[in-house]
Amino acid sequence: MNHLCADIGWKSINHEGEQLCGDHVDIVSQNEDSTVIVLADGLGSGVKASILSTLTSKIISTMMAEGMPVEACVSTIAATLPICSVRGVAYSTFTIIHLVENSTAELIQYDNPQVIMIREGEIYDYPKTERTIGGKSIFMSSIKLQEGDVFVAMSDGCPHAGIGMAYNFGWKHEDIAEFMKQFVPAGHHAKTLATLLVNECDRLYGHRPGDDATACVVRIRERNPVNILFGPPRNRDDCGRMMSLFFSKEGKHIVCGGTTSSIVASYLNKPIQASLVYERSDVPPTAAIEGVDLVTEGVITISRVIEYAKDFLDTNEKFQEWSTGKDGASQICRLLFEEATDINFYVGRAINPAHQNPDLPIHFNIKMNLVEELSSCLKQMGKNLKVSYF
């Protein structure tokens, strides 16, 4: 397994008045360390643009993921897309970022704004080779990856933002690069970086976008494991084995649930330092145990984490809440969404007697469903996940 991995995230806003976005992002994994990312921008906006961009991204990503040579993929899509007789441009433009074993990034760019690359906190002028494939000028690059590299791909709705409003001729490419550069040192997830860019475009459009705008960000980073313990084991005799496996794993350790915390405190022979401070009225307070990075309540806290996770995968409108919040759910979100690359889940199957009150809408199946929901969301974020049940 390569010691590097990639955070990938994107966000779009639609042309004002349109229900569908004319841009489309497709991400296909070839294996654990190789990924094909395609951002396609259909001509115009609305249904036609959406269909063309979706078709373009699907064809390219599928062919490349199946190991077809880059030339064959680009030739096929270039030959497939006609030239508009009125505007004289292709019906869909595209940007391809092909991560090969998380050691090399191959960039293939056709008529989209040039990919911005940030390395060691500065704008990096990577080499480009222009080739003509299928009668179209394609820019190709091959870049050896380093930890901390950030790639920002975008549709032309981003540099067009603010035309006639904040800027006479739109938001210059170099100014977008400077805008993004300031956020990279904070270590935000790629989805958050894409959200910051698209939200700024939306602001420059006066919240009435004159074009579809999409940003797709790839952040190269070292693997970072995080371990989360949720619920006591069904068989009490398994407590020692569960604790031993949990604490033997490298990385940070999160413990969720009151009973679970008591078992951990007993295993570590450390007291639980409880808190009565509610950072949010709807999320129970956290606690502290020496040797554990974060101790929280169980079902209610994890339910809020899932709520944030679903929003993160969709519009990401709540990222400011969990990125700055001090409550247990927000802290878990920062650890799982932004810090973690590999997540080890240790889930106890014990039935909590406190959940057996028929007046409470909480039971064993709900706990298992929460684990499955959160696991699904984390996998969609590109996390490497392992779930162990006890």
Side-chain angles (χ1 to χ4, degrees), residues 201-220:
C201 291
D202 190 37
R203 186 189 71 81
L204 292 174
Y205 276 120
H207 305 292
R208 300 177 63 182
D211 193 4
D212 304 299
T214 298
C216 180
V217 177
V218 177
R219 185 168 72 103
I220 306 300

Side-chain angles (χ1 to χ4, degrees), residues 232-243 259 263 266-267 348-353 390:
R234 181 163 49 191
N235 187 338
R236 290 185 180 182
D237 294 338
D238 285 336
C239 285
R241 184 169 67 91
M242 186 181 186
M243 296 300 112
T259 305
I263 295 172
S266 177
Y267 176 80
R349 296 178 184 267
I351 298 175
N352 190 332
F390 293 84

Side-chain angles (χ1 to χ4, degrees), residues 4 20 80 95 101 111 115 132 144 163-164 175 290 332 382:
L4 295 178
L20 296 174
T80 301
T95 300
E101 299 300 326
D111 268 10
V115 171
T132 301
K144 287 292 183 182
I163 287 181
D175 293 335
E290 186 180 337
I332 290 176

Side-chain angles (χ1 to χ4, degrees), residues 115-158:
V115 171
I116 294 167
M117 182 177 174
I118 300 170
R119 171 172 283 181
E120 297 178 348
E122 298 297 331
I123 309 304
Y124 182 70
D125 186 17
Y126 55 90
K128 308 175 191 71
T129 301
E130 186 175 4
R131 294 183 57 186
T132 301
I133 302 176
K136 295 172 172 62
S137 294
I138 309 290
F139 287 94
M140 305 180 70
S141 307
S142 181
I143 305 162
K144 287 292 183 182
L145 295 174
Q146 296 180 189
E147 181 187 355
D149 286 349
V150 173
F151 298 87
V152 183
M154 70 193 87
S155 64
D156 60 9
C158 294

Side-chain angles (χ1 to χ4, degrees), residues 18 20-24 41-56 81-87 89-92 212:
E18 296 291 353
L20 296 174
C21 185
D23 305 333
H24 189 84
D41 180 0
L43 180 65
S45 59
V47 175
K48 184 179 73 172
S50 178
I51 292 172
L52 290 166
S53 63
T54 302
L55 177 67
T56 300
L81 298 178
I83 299 296
C84 175
S85 59
V86 177
R87 305 189 191 187
V89 295
Y91 277 112
S92 183
D212 304 299

Side-chain angles (χ1 to χ4, degrees), residues 256 283-285 296-306 328-330 332:
C256 300
V283 178
T296 74
E297 181 272 342
V299 170
I300 297 173
T301 302
I302 293 296
S303 296
R304 176 53 60 90
V305 172
I306 292 171
S330 295
I332 290 176

